[in-house]
Amino acid sequence: MSSAPRHDGNDDARARFTASLGFRLDDFQDVAIDALRRSTSVLVAAPTGAGKTVVGEFACYDALERGQRAFYTTPIKALSNQKFRDLAARYGPSEVGLLTGDRSVNGNAPIVVMTTEVLRNMIYERSRALDNLLHVVLDEVHYLADRSRGAVWEEVLIQLPRAVQVTSLSATVSNAETFGAWLDQVRGGCEVIIEERRPVPLRHHYFVNGRIHPTFRAGQQKGASAAHRERAAQALAGVPNPELIAMERRASQRNRVTKRGRRLPPEVRLRWPSRPEVIEELTRRQWLPAILFVFSRAGCDAAVTQLHDAGVRLTSTAQRTEIDAIVDTMLADIPAVDLEVLGVDTWRSALRDGVAAHHAGMVPAFKECVEVLFQRGLLGVVVATETLALGINMPARTVVLERLEKWNGDAHVMLTPGEYTQLTGRAGRRGIDNVGHAVVLHQRSIDFRTVAGLVGTRSYPLRSSFQPSYNMAINLLRNHDLDAAEQLIAASFAQYEADARVSRKADRLRELDEGIAGYAQHLACDAGDWSAYWALRQRLSVVEKSAARSRRAAATEQVRAAVAALEPGDVIEHASADGPVAVTGIQLSKAGTPLANVVTKQGALTRLGPRELTEPPTVIDRVQLPRTGNPRQRDYRRDVARQLRTVRLAAAAAADSGASGNIVDESDDGAAEKIAELRTAVGRHPCHNCAQRSDHERWQYRTDELAEEAERLRDDVMRATGSLTRRFARIRSVLTTLDYLDGSARPTSDGMRLARIYSDVDLLVAESLRRGVLDDLDVAELAGIAALFLYESRSDEPPQARYLPTARLDDAGDAVASIAAELREHERAAGLPPLRALDPDFVECAWRWAQGADLDDALGGRELTGGDFVRNIKQIADLLGQLRGLDEPVAERIPAALDALLRGIVEW
C-alpha cells in the first residue's frame, strides 16, 4: 500500500503518481492525465483491459494532492465494492469511503466510491458533500445505454456543478466523438481521448469438428519484416478464413443426388463441440484460464455440472487446499442452514476442480468467492452470463462464446458488435499474456460468414435511454424554475442525438423542397388547371382502392364463414388438389382464422383457409369418415381417398342443387356510383385531353414521390423536436392533477415527499403513503408491501392474484392495487405509458424473511435463486430506507425493518 500523496504546491503530482504505479503510462493515459491537470473534463474511450481506470485513479490522487475530494462512481454495487477495496489498499482505509445505498463506510473521506444513484441523490438534495468536490469519475459510462439506468448517468452529467471535473471512462464506441461533443457542451469543456489499440492483441478463432481455426486469414509471412507483417495483417483484417468457407460449402452439399438418383454422402459434417471437448483443447493449447459465456443462468449451472460429471480437473492438491481455506474464510459469517439451502457442498466441489459459474442468480458471497479465486489464478474455467463483462476485474487468457444469440426478453437476437467486443475484451491479461484468444463455437443456425462479419464489424454506437420520471420532474422543479428545468431536460444526450438527427433531416427536407419547386415548372398545363385535374385523379384512386379493399375484406369474411360452417365428412372441390377433398375437422389459427383439415383423393392431408380459397367452399357431397384412427394415419386417409373417387364433379352437383359459388358483393355501399361520377369528371376535365399529358404525369409522379418523402421527414422531425420536454409536460400534468405540483409548477408538501422516493413506481409509493396505506403495518408487513411495489418476475406469464399472508397486508395490497389502477387512468389520459402490473409473488417471501425465517422457510418452495432472493430483499431495504427520513407514521418502524431484512446472506 502506498502512502497518501502530499500537497507541496508543486505541479509534480503527475510525476509522483506515475512513479507510484510501477509501470510506464501509455500515450492515451498521458494525454488524459495532462488534460485533467489543465482542469478540463475528459472522456476516455478505450478497449476493456487497456487501463482506462488509471486515469480515474489519477483524478483521485489529484484530489488528495490538492486537499479536495473525489467521487469515484460505478453503475453497480459489486464494482463499487471492488473499487473501494482497490483504492483503500492503495491510499489507506482512512482516505477512502464507500456509499452504495445499503453500505456506508467512512462517507466523509476525501475519496468516496459510490454507485451513481448515490451521487444523483446528493445533487438533488444539494448535499454539503459537494462543496469541496474537485473530481467525479464515471466508470463504465457506456452503461448509459442501459434502459433502466440511463437517466441516472445523464442526470449527473447535466446537473453536476460545472466547477467539478468529470472523468468519463467508456468502452470503445463508434460515436465517442459525438458523445464527447455533448459532454463538451454540458460540462463547459471536455477533451476526448480515444484509444483503439488493445494492450494485449486479440486473435479470433472458430471451433468446429474438434479443431480451432483462425476466423480471419493469417497476415504474417515468415522472413518478412515486422512492418510488413503489420501492414499485411491490417490489409487482411476482416477477410474470412477461406478454409472455413469451403468446409461449410462442402457440408451444405451432403444432400446432393447423382443422375441415377443415388444420394451422395456428405464430404464433411460440421459438428458443434461439446463443453468438455472445448476445455480439453484449451488445456492442451495452454489457453487457460478461460471464461465461457453462456447466456442463461440455468445454462451456466448446467455447464459446470457437465464439466464436473465429465471429470474435468484443473487444479493441483495445493490449489485445492488453498481454495478450501479461502472459501471457509469468506463464508464464515453465513449461517450453515442457509449455506445448505444454497447447495454449498456441490458448489465447493466444482470450485475445487477449478470450475465455477458466475451469474446474477448467485448470492453475492458466492460470486465474490469466484472473483477472488479467479484473480488468484486458482480457477481454470468460469462459466458466466454477459453481466460479468461489466467492469469486474476478471481477465482471462481466453474467452469462449458458446452462442452468438441471446434472449433479450422478447426474442432470441444476435449479439451486437458492441456486445461481442465487450465480452471478448476479457481475453488477454496485461503483463501476463502476449496475446488473448476469442473462440466462437460452431452453431448450426448461423453460417460462418455471419460470424466473421460480426467479429470484423467496428460500429457500435452509444445510445441514450434518458426519460424524465415523476421523481426527476419534482427534483428538477424544486431546484429550478420551469424554464430552467426544461432547459436541463433539453440538455440530455438523448435530446442532443435527436436534435442531430433533426438537423440531418432538415437538410434533406431543404433538398426535397428545392426539387419539388424545380419540378413545378413542368406542371403548368395550357389546357387547364393541372393541380385540380390531378386532385380528381388522386381522389378517384383513393375511392377505387378503398372499394377494392372492401371487396377483398367481404370476400375473405364470406370464405371464413363458409369454412367455419363445414363439418367433418363434407366434400368440397379445391382446384390445386385436382379434384374433391374431404373435410376431417376444423381448427382455429392463433389469429382466430378457421382452417379446414382435408384429405385429397390422392390420400394427402392438407389444410385450407382464406389464403388458399378464392371463394366460399360449396359442399358437393359427403363421405363416411372412419370410426377409428385419425387423419395422420395412412389407412385412415386411404379409406377417405377411396370414397372421394366416387364423388361427382362440382359442376354436376351445382346443376342439380342450383347452388352457386360466386361471392356476393355486400361491400359496395355506393362506391360504384362514386367511382362512376369521378371517372366522368376526370374525362371531362380539359387537362385530360392535353397533348402533353403524359409528360405532365411523369413530372407529377416524381413530385409526388418527393412530397411523400418530405411528409415522412416532417412527421419524424415533429416527433423528435422537443420529444423529451413534451414527455416532461405530460408528467407535470399528472403531478398537477394529483396536487404534487401547484399551479406555478412548484412542488407541494406531497411533492417534496415524492422527491425522496427513487423507484420506477415512485408515484405509487408516494400516493400510498399519502393515503395512509402503510400506517398500521408492522415491520414484516412493511417488507411485504414493499415487495408488492418492487417485485418483477422473470417469467413471461402475467402475475397471478394471491392472498397475502396477513389480513392487514391483504387489505393494504388491495388498496395499493386500487391506487395503481387510478394512476394508470391518469397516465393514459395524459398520453403516458401506464404503470406496469404489480406482482404479489414475492410478498410472502419478504414477509417471512423479515419475521426471522431462514432462507429455506422464506423461499417457501418457490423457484427462486439465492441471488435473486438477496437482490430482491436489498431492493426492498433500499426503498424502505428512503422512507426513513420522511415525516410519516411509518418512519419510526423503518430502522427495525432494515435490521430484520439486512441479515445473514443479505447483509454479506
Side-chain angles (χ1 to χ4, degrees):
M1 180 182 71
S2 63
S3 60
R6 64 186 185 279
H7 178 57
D8 56 11
N10 296 324
D11 193 25
D12 293 335
R14 182 185 178 284
R16 289 194 294 274
F17 173 76
T18 304
S20 72
L21 294 175
F23 58 84
R24 184 177 177 179
L25 292 176
D26 288 340
D27 290 345
F28 82 93
Q29 295 166 332
D30 267 329
V31 172
I33 289 173
D34 284 344
L36 289 176
R37 291 297 291 169
R38 294 194 305 272
S39 300
T40 186
S41 295
V42 297
L43 167 64
V44 182
T48 301
K52 298 183 293 290
T53 56
V54 169
V55 181
E57 288 168 1
F58 173 77
C60 297
Y61 186 97
D62 189 46
L64 286 174
E65 181 84 10
R66 297 168 183 255
Q68 294 180 263
R69 304 190 77 192
F71 290 168
Y72 195 110
T73 75
T74 79
I76 57 176
K77 293 177 182 178
L79 189 53
S80 291
N81 291 334
Q82 183 182 88
K83 204 66 199 176
F84 168 66
R85 292 192 298 270
D86 292 346
L87 291 174
R90 184 176 181 84
Y91 299 121
S94 64
E95 302 293 322
V96 184
L98 175 68
L99 297 173
T100 61
D102 56 4
R103 287 188 69 188
S104 177
V105 180
N106 197 20
N108 293 320
I111 300 173
V112 184
V113 182
M114 62 185 67
T115 51
T116 319
E117 284 88 343
V118 171
L119 177 55
R120 185 268 314 273
N121 299 354
M122 285 183 178
I123 293 171
Y124 281 145
E125 296 297 332
R126 296 190 170 181
S127 170
R128 297 298 300 273
L130 302 173
D131 289 350
N132 197 34
L133 185 61
L134 177 63
H135 289 287
V136 164
V137 180
L138 299 176
D139 201 352
E140 299 289 355
V141 76
H142 67 278
Y143 211 67
L144 179 73
D146 182 83
R147 175 184 61 83
S148 63
R149 309 180 63 130
V152 177
W153 288 102
E154 294 189 63
E155 287 173 276
V156 167
L157 290 165
I158 293 166
Q159 298 183 74
L160 192 68
R162 283 203 171 190
V164 178
Q165 288 180 250
V166 174
T167 302
S168 300
L169 308 179
S170 167
T172 305
V173 291
S174 56
N175 62 338
E177 292 90 349
T178 302
F179 184 54
W182 172 72
L183 283 171
D184 184 71
Q185 178 176 296
V186 298
R187 300 304 309 159
C190 179
E191 186 162 336
V192 180
I193 298 98
I194 300 174
E195 174 59 65
E196 296 183 345
R197 181 181 59 85
R198 285 173 50 91
V200 179
L202 180 63
R203 292 180 184 168
H204 302 273
H205 310 272
Y206 193 68
F207 198 143
V208 60
N209 289 7
R211 287 184 55 203
I212 294 178
H213 306 260
T215 301
F216 299 115
R217 189 165 51 184
Q220 295 188 7
Q221 301 175 10
K222 291 182 179 180
S225 68
H228 178 81
R229 290 197 302 270
E230 179 66 21
R231 286 194 298 271
Q234 291 175 356
L236 293 171
V239 179
N241 187 335
E243 177 188 349
L244 287 169
I245 294 174
M247 180 188 296
E248 194 167 66
R249 184 168 55 247
R250 290 196 303 273
S252 68
Q253 296 173 343
R254 60 177 176 269
N255 292 322
R256 289 183 304 152
V257 178
T258 66
K259 292 182 179 180
R260 295 185 178 182
R262 294 171 55 191
R263 192 174 298 279
L264 291 175
E267 296 185 34
V268 60
R269 184 181 297 276
L270 301 184
R271 181 173 53 82
W272 180 76
S274 69
R275 290 159 178 158
E277 181 183 8
V278 171
I279 303 309
E280 180 182 356
E281 178 63 15
L282 296 183
T283 303
R284 186 186 69 80
R285 290 173 175 253
Q286 297 184 343
W287 284 9
L288 297 180
I291 297 173
L292 172 61
F293 282 111
V294 176
F295 299 126
S296 82
R297 302 172 180 184
C300 290
D301 294 335
V304 171
T305 300
Q306 183 182 18
L307 294 174
H308 176 76
D309 292 346
V312 173
R313 302 289 183 272
L314 305 174
T315 52
S316 65
T317 301
Q319 287 174 322
R320 292 184 178 212
T321 301
E322 189 176 354
I323 289 170
D324 282 334
I326 292 172
V327 171
D328 289 340
T329 300
M330 296 188 71
L331 303 186
D333 294 333
I334 299 179
V337 63
D338 289 348
L339 288 175
E340 184 178 350
V341 173
L342 295 170
V344 68
D345 291 339
T346 301
W347 174 74
R348 182 198 286 262
S349 178
L351 287 180
R352 298 181 82 246
D353 292 337
V355 179
H358 189 287
H359 56 74
M362 298 166 61
V363 295
F366 281 22
K367 284 199 295 183
E368 189 163 345
C369 267
V370 172
E371 292 162 14
V372 169
L373 293 173
F374 195 80
Q375 290 163 9
R376 297 190 184 183
L378 297 173
L379 297 180
V381 176
V382 169
V383 188
T385 57
E386 70 269 28
T387 54
L388 178 62
L390 181 69
I392 302 299
N393 182 25
M394 286 179 60
R397 178 168 294 173
T398 303
V399 162
V400 179
L401 295 182
E402 190 170 272
R403 292 280 186 269
L404 291 179
E405 293 179 317
K406 69 172 185 176
W407 179 256
N408 68 357
D410 297 314
H412 284 94
V413 296
M414 278 281 291
L415 292 181
T416 65
E419 289 169 332
Y420 177 87
T421 301
Q422 183 74 13
L423 294 170
T424 56
R426 291 285 172 192
R429 297 164 297 176
R430 188 168 188 168
I432 300 175
D433 301 319
N434 294 324
V435 65
H437 301 280
V439 181
V440 175
L441 306 189
H442 166 68
Q443 298 147 79
R444 293 179 183 175
S445 59
I446 301 176
D447 62 79
F448 172 69
R449 286 184 184 273
T450 300
V451 175
L454 172 69
V455 175
T457 300
R458 289 294 177 264
S459 176
Y460 26 95
L462 180 67
R463 293 290 181 233
S464 170
S465 58
F466 181 89
Q467 287 284 1
S469 66
Y470 296 115
N471 170 276
M472 185 195 302
I474 291 288
N475 276 301
L476 286 174
L477 291 169
R478 74 167 170 152
N479 292 320
H480 309 276
D481 62 29
L482 180 56
D483 287 343
E486 288 182 337
Q487 288 173 12
L488 287 169
I489 292 289
S492 67
F493 185 49
Q495 193 62 58
Y496 183 87
E497 286 186 301
D499 291 345
R501 290 192 293 270
V502 165
S503 178
R504 291 191 294 271
K505 289 177 180 178
D507 291 341
R508 176 58 179 160
L509 269 173
R510 283 191 290 272
E511 293 176 4
L512 293 172
D513 289 340
E514 290 171 2
I516 292 171
Y519 290 164
Q521 59 183 317
H522 300 285
L523 300 177
C525 179
D526 295 336
D529 186 345
W530 175 264
S531 62
Y533 170 72
W534 194 249
L536 277 174
R537 291 268 301 268
Q538 288 182 312
R539 175 62 179 158
L540 174 60
S541 176
V542 168
V543 175
E544 286 178 334
K545 289 178 180 177
S546 176
R549 285 195 299 269
S550 297
R551 287 194 299 272
R552 287 195 298 271
T556 299
E557 185 54 39
Q558 290 182 41
V559 171
R560 285 168 59 100
V563 171
L566 294 173
E567 296 183 358
D570 284 347
V571 177
I572 60 177
E573 191 168 8
H574 181 46
S576 65
D578 189 26
V581 296
V583 177
T584 61
I586 303 295
Q587 67 182 75
L588 294 179
S589 70
K590 290 182 179 180
T593 301
L595 303 172
N597 295 319
V598 300
V599 172
T600 69
K601 70 178 185 180
Q602 290 80 25
L605 179 63
T606 188
R607 186 174 295 167
L608 300 180
R611 289 185 179 180
E612 295 78 25
L613 298 168
T614 57
E615 58 185 33
T618 301
V619 178
I620 60 174
D621 206 338
R622 286 189 58 80
V623 297
Q624 182 67 45
L625 298 179
R627 296 181 180 275
T628 60
N630 63 73
R632 296 182 184 278
Q633 296 172 334
R634 182 180 300 174
D635 289 343
Y636 184 104
R637 300 196 303 273
R638 186 180 296 148
D639 186 354
V640 174
R642 178 181 53 77
Q643 296 182 66
L644 284 173
R645 297 189 192 103
T646 66
V647 172
R648 292 181 299 165
L649 295 177
D656 290 346
S657 63
S660 172
N662 292 333
I663 294 176
V664 178
D665 187 0
E666 301 172 347
S667 62
D668 183 271
D669 194 24
E673 185 176 347
K674 295 175 188 175
I675 291 171
E677 291 176 358
L678 286 168
R679 284 177 177 169
T680 299
V682 167
R684 290 176 177 175
H685 196 284
C687 291
H688 192 64
N689 297 313
C690 175
Q692 283 80 42
R693 193 186 82 184
S694 60
D695 290 335
H696 295 329
E697 286 175 340
R698 185 170 65 254
W699 288 107
Q700 184 67 63
Y701 285 130
R702 294 177 183 177
T703 301
D704 289 350
E705 287 178 1
L706 295 187
E708 288 177 7
E709 183 182 351
E711 186 63 27
R712 287 195 301 270
L713 282 178
R714 285 192 178 91
D715 288 342
D716 291 345
V717 168
M718 180 65 70
R719 284 193 298 269
T721 302
S723 57
L724 294 178
T725 53
R726 286 197 298 274
R727 178 182 170 92
F728 185 47
R730 291 172 182 145
I731 286 173
R732 293 201 319 272
S733 172
V734 173
L735 293 174
T736 303
T737 299
L738 295 174
D739 295 325
Y740 287 90
L741 291 174
D742 62 22
S744 302
R746 303 299 300 173
T748 63
S749 58
D750 290 328
M752 295 304 293
R753 178 196 295 114
L754 175 57
R756 301 287 299 275
I757 301 170
Y758 299 94
S759 168
D760 69 329
V761 289
D762 46 13
L763 187 55
L764 177 62
V765 176
E767 193 67 6
S768 299
L769 284 169
R770 180 162 72 171
R771 300 192 193 186
V773 174
L774 282 60
D775 288 356
D776 298 327
L777 301 182
D778 64 23
V779 165
E781 289 166 341
L782 283 174
I785 204 68
L788 180 62
F789 288 133
L790 297 174
Y791 182 67
E792 291 185 80
S793 171
R794 289 170 56 85
S795 171
D796 294 331
E797 297 297 322
Q800 300 296 314
R802 62 168 67 234
Y803 286 108
L804 303 187
T806 71
R808 282 185 307 200
L809 193 49
D810 203 51
D811 289 343
D814 287 343
V816 169
S818 178
I819 294 169
E822 291 178 29
L823 294 182
R824 293 187 192 105
E825 290 303 315
H826 286 296
E827 288 168 331
R828 291 189 184 100
L832 290 169
L835 176 72
R836 61 171 170 80
L838 301 179
D839 190 338
D841 198 49
F842 194 70
V843 171
E844 188 168 357
C845 296
W847 175 76
R848 289 181 181 277
W849 181 258
Q851 280 196 319
D854 61 30
L855 178 61
D856 195 25
D857 287 341
L859 288 172
R862 285 178 174 78
E863 293 294 328
L864 198 67
T865 67
D868 285 337
F869 177 84
V870 170
R871 184 169 53 260
N872 290 329
I873 293 294
K874 285 189 173 183
Q875 288 175 350
I876 289 168
D878 183 61
L879 176 60
L880 292 179
Q882 295 173 27
L883 311 183
R884 179 167 37 192
L886 299 179
D887 184 18
E888 297 287 337
V890 71
E892 62 185 24
R893 295 190 296 283
I894 297 300
L898 295 178
D899 287 342
L901 291 168
L902 299 175
R903 59 184 178 84
I905 58 169
V906 177
E907 183 185 24
W908 198 92

